[in-house]
Amino acid sequence: MTPTTDHAVVSWVPVCRYDDLEVERGVAALVEGTQVAVFRLADGTVRAVDHHDPFSGANVIARGIVGSRGDVPTVASPMYKHVFDLRTGACLDDPSTALRVYPVRVSGGVVAVRAAAGTG
Amino acid sequence: MNPAHPATRSHLVVVGGGMVAHRLVDALLQRQGADASWQVTVLAEEPRAPYDRMALTSYFSGRDPDDLQLGDPALWSDPRVTLHRGDPVTAIDRVATTVSTASGREHSYDALVLATGSSAFVPPVDGRDLPGCFVYRTIDDVAALRAYVEELRDRPVARGRRGGETALAGAVVGGGLLGLEAAGALRALGVDSHVVEFAPRLMPLQVDEGGGEGLRRLVQKLGVHVHTSTATARLHAGPDGRVRRMDFADGGRLDVRVVVFAAGVRPRDELARACGLPVGERGGVVVDDTCRTEDPKVWAVGEVACIGGRTLGLVAPGYSMAEVVADRLLGGTATFPGADLSTKLKLLGVDVASFGDAAGETAGALPVVYADPVAGVYKKLVLSDDARTLLGGLLVGDASAYAALRPLLGRPLGGDPAAWLLPEGVAGGPSGDLPDDAAVCSCNNVSAGTVRGAVRGAVAAGGGCDLAAVKAGTKAGTSCGSCLPLVKKLMTAELVSAGVGVSRALCEHFDISRAELFEVARVTGVRTFSELVARHGRGRGCDICKPVVASVLASLGAGHVLDGEQATLQDTNDHVLANIQKDGTYSVVPRIPGGEVTPAGLIAIGAVAVEFGLYTKITGAQRIDLLGARLEQLPEIWRRLVDAGFESGHAYGKAVRTVKSCVGSTWCRYGVQDSVGLAVALELRYRGLRAPHKLKLGVSGCARECAEARSKDVGVIATDKGWNVYVGGNGGFSPRHARLLAEDLDTDTLVRTIDRFLIYYVRTADRLQRTAAWLEEIEGGLEHVRAVVLADSLGIAGDLDAAMEAHVAGYADEWRDALEDPVKLRRFTTFVNAPGTPDPDLVPPARHVGETTVRHDGGDPDGAVLHTRVALEVVPR
Ligand code: SRM
Ligand SMILES: Cc1cc2nc3c(=O)[nH]c(=O)nc-3n(C[C@H](O)[C@H](O)[C@H](O)COP(=O)(O)OP(=O)(O)OC[C@H]3O[C@@H](n4cnc5c(N)ncnc54)[C@H](O)[C@@H]3O)c2cc1C
Ligand code: SF4
Ligand code: FES
């Protein structure tokens, strides 16, 4: 584990203020060239996944409807309504496909995202 | 593709890849399961997998040939099946047990099934081979016919000698089922079509004299010319060598540019004849009631089989034969149950159904007839001599009673037969007490008991049960579909009696239906999703229930669709007040009420398109779509449009879309009322009304119906005395014609009637249920709705009226409101951390036509205000 090197290479990019995020409605952010969809959930947590929808090829995930399936917090792509797990990025309608998830940090009222996709 | 153990399997060869061949292979595979004993080879003459020949005509409405494919295409990649397309069988050697094909291949068989169908019969008329003469049997026939007509249409000479006045004329030889289909197809191609029938009436095989007369009126009303008792003598070529004139035996003649022969079919029994198998007197391979020929290894099914001394030209008996052979090949003992020659057809939009002894040939049979020559309705029931048992029937012009009547064949009708014949007389239907052995689906031979069993099975297994499951499990309703209303009724009754009830749950978050949710919100006054889901549901919602709640709240007048929490409920279209496109950009459709637009308005729209680089297209609903707008461009586009006097057209919402109109009495020499004026008034009255699904209206200025009002949810047609109003029409996936709700209304009564109809629909329909489906579903159907809106049978008319008044008074343009609210405007950025930056991945698609060189300078913005907005603003009553 070399966390320090990691931080030096891919840094946390501030994207907006926490208060700017509407509950259960996403925004898109450009994080070092990558399009990331950022969501604030009803329980206050913030999640970030790919903005790119693998099914339609369009950059639209942030514009989907946020909700839940069982206990899983979800977003449905606005294009063909595929539903994704916001914690893991997995597509619940097609297990062979997943969105990348990005680490999110909220500090000092600012939301920051790290561009290197993590495992959630 | 190699079978696992080819040596242990017998080889079945099927000649012909038509509808019945498909059913045979499907049935055999399903029945034999995994431990397959048969390897199947299908040798098809046509270059494609089996398709739905009955739906051939829909190919004219622009369907892709692939849409006609039958069943699950996976059947043809099953390792136990091989399909050779485009390779007809040319000979059968019964001694060597082989068949050979045109490409020179040879296949040996353990069993051989002939499923070669029929070919079109072309009567021996001189000139029948001229270019321009067609038959109507295969996709290729239809494609050739279409290409020919389109080519003629594009050549100026085809438009007739008097300067393009004359429409292209075409004739169909044969006024039976196929002839009328073909005439409809020609008409759809813009051809002025004539049907020439030798017999004294249309559909001589199916209908009696009275029915034929009703049919003639209906068909003529649709603009198809009918010539009965007329024999075609010869066809003449024009100077270009193509067909140009048709002469009749009685000396009459017709100038025609295209001729379709639909004078019957002949079984394709040529292979059987050549290998010495017996054929029937009028053709067809002779088989016994197990579908076997005199050669124990050779079978025949479908239209080519001569069973019980005759060939059968419908798909249902063919399917029964396929099931019999599948059963026999696996050692079963099935026999052909006899043909049910019931048919229900929709020819040129006219319903015709005949079942049982429609002609009344049974000794002592009593016909009971209802005829309305004006409406073109003719209905006849044939009863036994004691007037109790139903022997058959014929329905022309209104076949709504067919699904319920057919299973009662041979059974007591119960009650007064007249009740079945009067218009709308069968709203309830008798499904509840239908005996288990009554056939419900004649295409697939499924009884009421089988349907009930499937429902009970699904309930016992603990799973849910819906129509799709019943269809998949029993095959009922999977062919012509005419039995579906009945299947659904049986299913519902069974579910209710099993104590399960039909699940009306919206989704996993709400156990109640949309209509119930609407009532809950209306009565409790709860106006937020969070509270509704906490009190009446669970979880955080989803892309199904959130937009439903958003729509309900909007209908209840809970403010702008982007106010507060409501914004998070909206699908992206409603969230950004525009329609999402495949690349993530949006389209913008300004309202153009009634299709009326000023030149200045057109220029203003053009100027916006030029400024923002948008693609422009005239939509199918009389307005203009501006496509390719990026999220961050939307507010500025609206600002320009709003300044020019436009407003949101709600193309994005489940809401009132447009009121389409024709030019009407202002300009048109036939118009009897001002259709544009009414359309504009209606559109301005109902604009912004949210609903369970989109709502479209139309107004035509006379019965010629150029606004296609009867294909709308609400259609208004002008009469000399006022307006006729029709409801429950739509285009789209299953087109329906709207049905008459009320006649000759004055404008005030008309508006009040539509007000009530719309609000009643908004309150009680299911999610994504258009008015047609709602009218089918709601208890009592159209009759009930008519009673509610015209006679206030539920005592809620005042409430409905008040709801519409509140809507009209509360209307505000959603674009303008968004432009005036900085909080709402914040949503229109592509990237929260780079507001001016567009999505770098966007590449606009190319146009199909070049840019014109004419440029306008934008014009005077004041001049761009729509005339209609000023002159015809609707004042709430
Ligand atoms: C733009 C337009 C096509 C065109 O270029 O002509 C269009 C475009 C779409 N139609 Fe349509 N329809 C358009 C006229 C029609 C018409 C013709 C008409 O209205 O006279 C019909 C058949 C009439 C009818 O609705 O009964 C029509 C029947 C449908 C249907 C099938 C509805 C049904 O009941 O079966 C859908 C699917 C749905 O709504 O579920 C649909 C859905 C759609 C969607 C929303 C599909 C989607 O989700 O992307 C398309 C939106 C694209 C966009 O951004 O505008 N569109 N669509 C037309 C817009 C008209 C307008 O000015 O608002
Ligand atoms: C426009 C139209 C509308 C219709 N509407 C209805 C309706 O509403 N209700 C209804 O019940 N019926 C309807 N029918 C009739 C129905 O389509 C037929 O009854 C049904 O298709 C018969 O199926 P089949 O498999 O016996 O023959 P087909 O579907 O005709 O299939 C036979 C196939 O065998 C092929 N073939 C022939 N000879 C050879 C050979 N030597 N080698 C290889 N292949 C060969 C042919 O090319 C053809 O593809 C309609 C027919 C048409 C044309
Ligand atoms: S939905 Fe309408 S506009 Fe879109 S592709 Fe289909 S027909 Fe065309
Ligand atoms: S009767 Fe044709 S599908 Fe059931």
Side-chain angles (χ1 to χ4, degrees):
Chain A
M1 278 238 297
T2 52
T4 20
T5 337
D6 221 344
H7 274 237
V9 180
V10 267
S11 46
W12 290 98
V13 177
V15 295
C16 63
R17 290 186 317 130
Y18 180 75
D19 290 345
D20 289 343
L21 291 175
E22 246 175 303
V23 177
E24 296 190 335
R25 194 91 229 185
V27 297
L30 262 183
V31 181
E32 294 180 342
T34 304
Q35 301 197 23
V36 176
V38 182
F39 301 90
R40 171 172 160 186
L41 304 184
D43 66 5
T45 52
V46 179
R47 300 282 178 180
V49 295
D50 277 333
H51 186 37
H52 185 261
D53 171 12
F55 295 97
S56 64
N59 300 315
V60 293
I61 292 295
R63 302 180 213 156
I65 288 181
V66 175
S68 63
R69 195 177 274 187
D71 293 332
V72 179
T74 57
V75 62
S77 166
M79 201 65 85
Y80 301 123
K81 315 290 173 199
H82 294 93
V83 173
F84 298 92
D85 183 338
L86 278 174
R87 301 167 313 184
T88 64
C91 176
L92 300 178
D93 301 321
D94 178 353
S96 67
T97 310
L99 302 175
R100 285 175 294 184
V101 297
Y102 300 88
V104 182
R105 186 173 76 182
V106 183
S107 68
V110 171
V111 178
V113 174
R114 215 169 61 185
T119 49
Chain B
M1 281 289 137
N2 278 334
H5 305 289
T8 65
R9 291 197 196 157
S10 309
H11 188 210
L12 168 68
V13 171
V14 180
V15 187
M19 298 186 71
V20 174
H22 171 264
R23 181 54 164 270
L24 171 65
V25 178
D26 193 40
L28 185 65
L29 253 55
Q30 289 211 2
R31 285 167 190 247
Q32 71 178 2
D35 46 330
S37 50
W38 289 94
Q39 184 69 27
V40 187
T41 302
V42 179
L43 302 170
E45 173 186 62
E46 291 189 66
R48 45 181 64 85
Y51 56 88
D52 185 356
R53 204 175 295 292
M54 289 157 60
L56 202 54
T57 304
S58 69
Y59 180 60
F60 279 100
S61 38
R63 271 172 69 171
D64 192 287
D66 288 347
D67 293 350
L68 298 184
Q69 182 156 3
L70 280 173
D72 184 351
L75 182 66
W76 306 112
S77 42
D78 189 296
R80 294 162 291 175
V81 182
T82 314
L83 169 67
H84 292 287
R85 306 159 204 229
D87 193 13
V89 172
T90 48
I92 300 171
D93 184 338
R94 290 203 280 136
V95 178
T97 61
T98 57
V99 301
S100 39
T101 69
S103 72
R105 264 184 269 211
E106 212 173 81
H107 302 267
S108 66
Y109 62 82
D110 299 302
L112 178 69
V113 177
L114 299 173
T116 48
S118 312
S119 57
F121 167 65
V122 180
V125 173
D126 262 4
R128 62 184 172 160
D129 295 326
L130 289 173
C133 294
F134 294 87
V135 296
Y136 201 80
R137 179 80 195 173
T138 65
I139 286 187
D140 289 338
D141 293 337
V142 171
L145 171 61
R146 178 157 84 177
Y148 186 83
V149 170
E150 281 170 356
E151 190 246 347
L152 274 186
R153 264 200 326 229
D154 292 344
R155 295 190 320 164
V157 54
R159 312 286 306 263
R161 280 185 287 274
R162 283 185 307 273
E165 279 280 307
T166 333
L168 203 66
V172 175
V173 179
L177 183 164
L178 271 182
L180 292 181
E181 285 250 5
L186 278 184
R187 198 184 58 133
L189 287 171
V191 174
D192 186 29
S193 41
H194 296 255
V195 171
V196 181
E197 168 59 51
F198 180 70
R201 61 175 181 273
L202 293 173
M203 292 187 62
L205 295 183
Q206 285 86 356
V207 311
D208 61 13
E209 211 174 301
E213 199 40 47
L215 197 56
R216 167 205 290 276
R217 279 169 183 275
L218 287 167
V219 168
Q220 281 175 338
K221 232 194 244 175
L222 294 162
V224 173
H225 313 274
V226 178
H227 311 259
T228 46
S229 302
T230 305
T232 308
R234 77 178 52 76
L235 300 170
H236 296 278
D240 58 358
R242 303 171 174 214
V243 68
R244 184 64 65 86
R245 204 182 83 203
M246 178 179 252
D247 287 353
F248 301 133
D250 64 6
R253 57 171 58 171
L254 207 58
D255 281 334
V256 290
R257 307 297 305 249
V258 57
V259 174
V260 179
F261 288 103
V265 295
R266 291 290 178 268
R268 293 195 58 180
D269 53 14
E270 61 271 11
L271 289 171
R273 285 175 194 269
C275 70
L277 285 169
V279 294
E281 214 171 286
R282 289 197 218 123
V285 183
V286 173
V287 294
D288 61 17
D289 66 354
T290 71
C291 299
R292 207 188 279 256
T293 67
E294 66 165 32
D295 179 336
K297 289 196 166 176
V298 185
W299 314 71
V301 293
E303 285 194 354
V304 75
C306 175
I307 193 163
R310 58 174 177 167
T311 53
L312 301 163
L314 292 172
V315 79
Y319 282 173
S320 300
M321 295 183 218
E323 296 283 349
V324 168
V325 172
D327 181 69
R328 291 267 165 180
L329 287 173
L330 297 171
T333 57
T335 53
F336 185 64
D340 175 358
L341 294 183
S342 303
T343 35
K344 180 175 173 210
L345 308 160
K346 203 169 193 82
L347 297 163
L348 297 140
V350 178
D351 281 330
V352 180
S354 101
F355 51 95
D357 177 15
E361 285 161 352
T362 313
L366 293 174
V368 182
V369 173
Y370 168 88
D372 177 350
V374 181
V377 174
Y378 177 88
K379 304 185 201 180
K380 178 171 83 172
L381 296 185
V382 177
L383 303 175
S384 58
D385 50 6
D386 60 358
R388 299 175 80 170
T389 307
L390 180 67
L391 299 177
L394 172 65
L395 307 168
V396 175
D398 171 12
S400 50
Y402 172 70
L405 279 169
R406 195 193 49 209
L408 293 176
L409 267 183
R411 299 171 191 280
L413 195 52
D416 180 0
W420 292 94
L421 295 176
L422 297 172
E424 313 280 349
V426 289
S431 66
D433 30 32
L434 209 56
D436 270 352
D437 62 341
V440 170
C441 173
S442 69
C443 287
N444 299 290
N445 230 325
V446 183
S447 67
T450 308
V451 171
R452 293 188 178 116
V455 176
R456 279 194 299 268
V459 170
C465 183
D466 57 10
L467 198 56
V470 174
K471 281 170 73 178
T474 64
K475 279 207 157 69
T478 53
S479 301
C480 74
S482 66
C483 58
L484 276 178
L486 188 58
V487 172
K488 185 159 179 199
K489 241 177 240 171
L490 283 169
M491 180 189 81
T492 311
E494 198 59 31
L495 284 173
V496 169
S497 77
V500 180
V502 191
S503 169
R504 308 231 296 279
L506 201 52
C507 61
E508 68 171 72
H509 307 103
F510 286 97
D511 293 334
I512 53 180
S513 69
R514 180 195 173 279
E516 287 161 336
L517 199 59
F518 194 105
E519 276 315 293
V520 165
R522 195 168 73 89
V523 173
T524 61
V526 173
R527 292 291 183 273
T528 66
F529 177 82
S530 289
E531 202 178 335
L532 275 173
V533 79
R535 282 218 227 157
H536 303 281
R538 65 188 73 83
R540 285 308 306 166
C542 63
D543 58 308
I544 292 174
C545 59
K546 281 188 164 176
V548 164
V549 169
S551 158
V552 165
L553 295 179
S555 301
L556 288 171
H560 193 281
V561 293
L562 298 183
D563 279 345
E565 195 203 41
Q566 273 192 70
T568 69
L569 309 179
Q570 309 290 358
D571 207 347
T572 186
N573 281 6
D574 283 287
H575 190 237
V576 306
L577 312 174
N579 292 54
I580 195 164
Q581 303 297 315
K582 61 194 287 186
D583 59 356
T585 63
Y586 291 87
S587 80
V588 175
V589 187
R591 181 171 306 291
I592 298 186
E596 189 190 53
V597 60
T598 60
L602 287 172
I603 290 168
I605 291 178
V608 172
V610 170
E611 182 179 350
F612 293 89
L614 303 175
Y615 172 93
T616 44
K617 181 180 176 300
I618 307 293
T619 72
Q622 292 191 333
R623 44 196 195 168
I624 299 170
D625 204 350
L626 301 158
L627 294 113
R630 299 192 306 265
L631 187 58
E632 71 277 6
Q633 292 178 316
L634 289 171
E636 282 315 303
I637 292 172
W638 298 336
R639 201 181 301 281
R640 305 293 195 285
L641 291 170
V642 168
D643 285 348
F646 289 102
E647 62 179 8
S648 162
H650 288 95
Y652 46 81
K654 299 287 174 243
V656 167
R657 291 280 168 89
T658 63
V659 184
K660 180 170 178 165
S661 84
C662 68
V663 285
S665 58
T666 316
W667 291 93
C668 176
R669 61 198 158 138
Y670 296 117
V672 294
Q673 305 274 357
D674 178 12
S675 53
V676 183
L678 181 71
V680 170
L682 293 178
E683 186 158 343
L684 295 179
R685 182 170 180 80
Y686 301 127
R687 61 185 166 182
L689 183 70
R690 305 264 158 174
H693 206 318
K694 58 188 165 201
L695 275 167
K696 297 180 179 183
L697 294 81
V699 184
S700 279
C702 82
R704 284 172 190 73
E705 245 286 70
C706 299
E708 301 171 305
R710 286 196 66 199
S711 68
K712 303 297 173 202
D713 296 284
V714 177
V716 180
I717 301 177
T719 68
D720 293 333
K721 289 176 235 134
W723 308 98
N724 285 354
V725 57
Y726 297 81
V727 292
N730 57 243
F733 188 69
S734 353
R736 321 260 174 111
H737 265 126
R739 293 191 283 156
L740 186 65
L741 180 68
E743 281 176 292
D744 294 326
L745 302 180
D746 60 63
T747 307
D748 281 350
T749 315
L750 172 79
V751 171
R752 192 176 63 233
T753 305
I754 303 177
D755 283 359
R756 292 177 183 175
F757 176 81
L758 291 179
I759 297 285
Y760 193 46
Y761 162 70
V762 165
R763 289 191 176 176
T764 56
D766 242 334
R767 164 183 177 266
L768 294 188
Q769 187 176 47
R770 283 190 75 174
T771 53
W774 170 66
L775 283 170
E776 259 165 40
E777 200 90 329
I778 195 165
E779 283 270 333
L782 178 62
E783 211 42 65
H784 161 77
V785 172
R786 183 181 288 134
V788 172
V789 302
L790 294 176
D792 194 11
S793 62
L794 295 182
I796 58 170
D799 189 27
L800 300 178
D801 291 344
M804 186 58 88
E805 289 314 337
H807 165 76
V808 174
Y811 170 81
D813 174 22
E814 288 171 357
W815 287 351
R816 183 189 290 271
D817 281 358
L819 286 171
E820 286 166 359
D821 180 346
V823 179
K824 290 183 183 121
L825 281 180
R826 275 216 325 235
R827 300 202 172 89
F828 298 91
T829 42
T830 294
F831 298 113
V832 68
N833 59 344
T837 311
D839 178 349
D841 293 347
L842 288 175
V843 186
R847 265 185 190 275
H848 301 279
V849 289
E851 298 287 340
T852 48
T853 48
V854 191
R855 294 292 289 259
H856 292 285
D857 58 8
D860 165 17
D862 288 340
V865 173
L866 281 174
H867 148 79
T868 51
R869 302 281 294 280
V870 183
L872 287 156
E873 187 76 45
V874 178
V875 187
R877 289 168 309 113

